[in-house]
Amino acid sequence: MINYTLKQLYSFEAVVRTKSFTKASKELFVTQPAVYMQIQQLQKNIGSDIVNIKGKTITPTFIGKKLYQTCLEIIYKLEQTRLDIEQTLNPHTGHLQISVATTTNSFVSRVLAKFKKEYPDMSFHLEVTNRKLLLEKLNNNETDLVVMGEPPSDMPLVTQPFMENPLIAIAHPEHPLLKNKNNSIKVLAKETLITREQGSGTRITIERITGMKFNSDIEINSNEAIIEAVQAGLGIGFVSKHTVKLELQNSIIKQLNAEKFPITRHWYVVHNAKNKLSPIAERFKAFIIENS
Ligand code: PGA
């Protein structure tokens, strides 16, 4: 049986990652010979070399590469457990990595501000991006929580709908189609349509529900910029009603009556089913649902 000690595994991980005994020893707050000894001991326990040392170059051997992958997993798990314990002991702290769809940005920012007031010792990183990139993040475990439109059913996700998200068509206040009680999709399709980029959930939904195919010359990857473009009279845009409340109230733009619109969707709070939520992420999930 091979006896590994955590000290040996931490030393080995640091040496392979930094490619240096000196840098590893500084990171681990021990002397360079102490790190060297841990690696020697580990090699003896395993019965095989785990690093090749040629002059100043240190690389893992074939066996070393296998061990390195396991080290990364063990250290990641230990780190997660340490954070989990810290946050359980002091539930007001913790770091939250949250990624949200562009349509949900202003809502989530407001909820985060309120949450931070209740938990001033927590920290967060908020990333705003489109549906395609959100799904990549969930898949690669790069985020704790995601807030987005309808999640796909073929991914291992825990999903919870929490708020309606009506998608509407918007136009300049003097747009001639505003006088019609209902504009057919055929009529709409003849207009200059300002669409979101490929990979946007808003765009995918509108194409699916209306049957329109956006081969538009005008693609804008920001809701705010779409609103600006509509205000400037460039064409008809499609956005979540939640992103244009103020502009509609002030009649800077108008909601256009159009067949199939508003398209009612929901916002979901989502996370990877393979991961246990940290206490702070759990708390924020509940908070977002309460505040919807
Ligand atoms: P998006 O957001 O258009 O920015 O991708 C909406 C969604 O998640 O469906």
Side-chain angles (χ1 to χ4, degrees):
M1 196 177 83
I2 303 169
N3 286 318
Y4 311 96
T5 68
L6 272 182
K7 233 181 202 172
Q8 290 168 355
L9 296 181
Y10 270 103
S11 302
F12 174 62
E13 188 278 330
V15 167
V16 174
R17 180 169 40 78
T18 63
K19 300 185 178 66
S20 155
F21 283 101
T22 313
K23 285 183 190 155
S25 65
K26 281 188 183 145
E27 267 193 21
L28 298 168
F29 301 106
V30 292
T31 62
Q32 197 247 28
V35 174
Y36 188 75
M37 205 183 76
Q38 293 297 336
I39 302 297
Q40 291 299 319
Q41 198 60 50
L42 189 53
Q43 296 199 135
K44 206 170 143 204
N45 289 351
I46 291 172
S48 164
D49 285 352
I50 50 173
V51 284
N52 290 314
I53 309 171
K54 282 203 186 106
K56 287 197 164 179
T57 317
I58 302 170
T59 50
T61 61
F62 179 70
I63 301 276
K65 279 185 191 156
K66 282 178 189 275
L67 183 63
Y68 184 63
Q69 271 317 312
T70 310
C71 276
L72 291 180
E73 284 162 29
I74 291 171
I75 292 170
Y76 174 78
K77 281 229 165 214
L78 283 171
E79 188 53 22
Q80 288 300 104
T81 310
R82 185 184 63 78
L83 289 172
D84 200 356
I85 292 169
E86 270 176 22
Q87 289 174 27
T88 309
L89 293 175
N90 182 3
H92 289 231
T93 63
H95 181 76
L96 184 66
Q97 191 79 28
I98 177 158
S99 308
V100 304
T102 59
T103 49
T104 71
N105 178 17
S106 64
F107 166 75
V108 177
S109 302
R110 279 198 301 273
V111 178
L112 263 174
K114 213 169 151 190
F115 189 70
K116 177 79 178 143
K117 271 192 191 140
E118 282 199 27
Y119 301 97
D121 295 332
M122 62 85 68
S123 61
F124 65 83
H125 176 90
L126 171 68
E127 179 132 17
V128 182
T129 186
N130 72 19
R131 176 183 179 86
K132 185 167 174 263
L133 294 171
L134 290 175
L135 294 179
E136 277 178 28
K137 283 190 175 294
L138 281 166
N139 204 25
N140 300 337
N141 265 334
E142 286 167 1
T143 189
D144 297 323
L145 281 178
V146 159
V147 180
M148 64 184 299
E150 203 164 310
S153 52
D154 57 354
M155 270 177 81
L157 302 172
V158 176
T159 67
Q160 171 133 15
F162 66 93
M163 191 166 159
E164 271 196 0
N165 171 29
L167 296 180
I168 59 168
I170 52 170
H172 184 276
E174 281 158 28
H175 197 288
L177 290 188
L178 283 170
K179 61 180 186 305
N180 300 340
K181 281 219 170 82
N182 195 11
N183 292 291
S184 67
I185 297 295
K186 231 176 167 178
V187 167
L188 210 60
K190 285 189 191 136
E191 293 295 313
T192 303
L193 303 178
I194 305 167
T195 72
R196 285 282 305 279
E197 76 287 4
Q198 297 273 3
S200 145
T202 307
R203 174 173 176 151
I204 295 168
T205 308
I206 293 169
E207 286 189 329
R208 182 167 52 86
I209 303 286
T210 65
M212 287 194 285
K213 282 279 160 277
F214 291 131
N215 299 316
S216 167
D217 293 338
I218 309 170
E219 274 186 12
I220 302 183
N221 70 351
S222 133
N223 294 306
E224 291 73 21
I226 289 182
I227 298 162
E228 293 278 343
V230 170
Q231 275 176 33
L234 189 60
I236 290 169
F238 305 96
V239 288
S240 161
K241 195 167 184 174
H242 297 305
T243 61
V244 281
K245 270 191 182 149
L246 232 63
E247 288 83 353
L248 288 176
Q249 265 167 24
N250 298 330
S251 299
I252 297 169
I253 53 165
K254 294 260 175 167
Q255 181 173 344
L256 192 71
N257 295 319
E259 187 188 351
K260 313 262 189 201
F261 285 92
I263 298 173
T264 302
R265 307 172 73 211
H266 283 87
W267 280 337
Y268 288 72
V269 58
V270 181
H271 67 91
N272 193 321
K274 290 185 207 143
N275 294 344
K276 185 177 167 303
L277 280 184
S278 67
I280 199 78
E282 195 78 71
R283 222 159 268 253
F284 186 67
K285 181 179 171 182
F287 195 84
I288 213 167
I289 295 166
E290 270 164 36
N291 283 274
S292 56

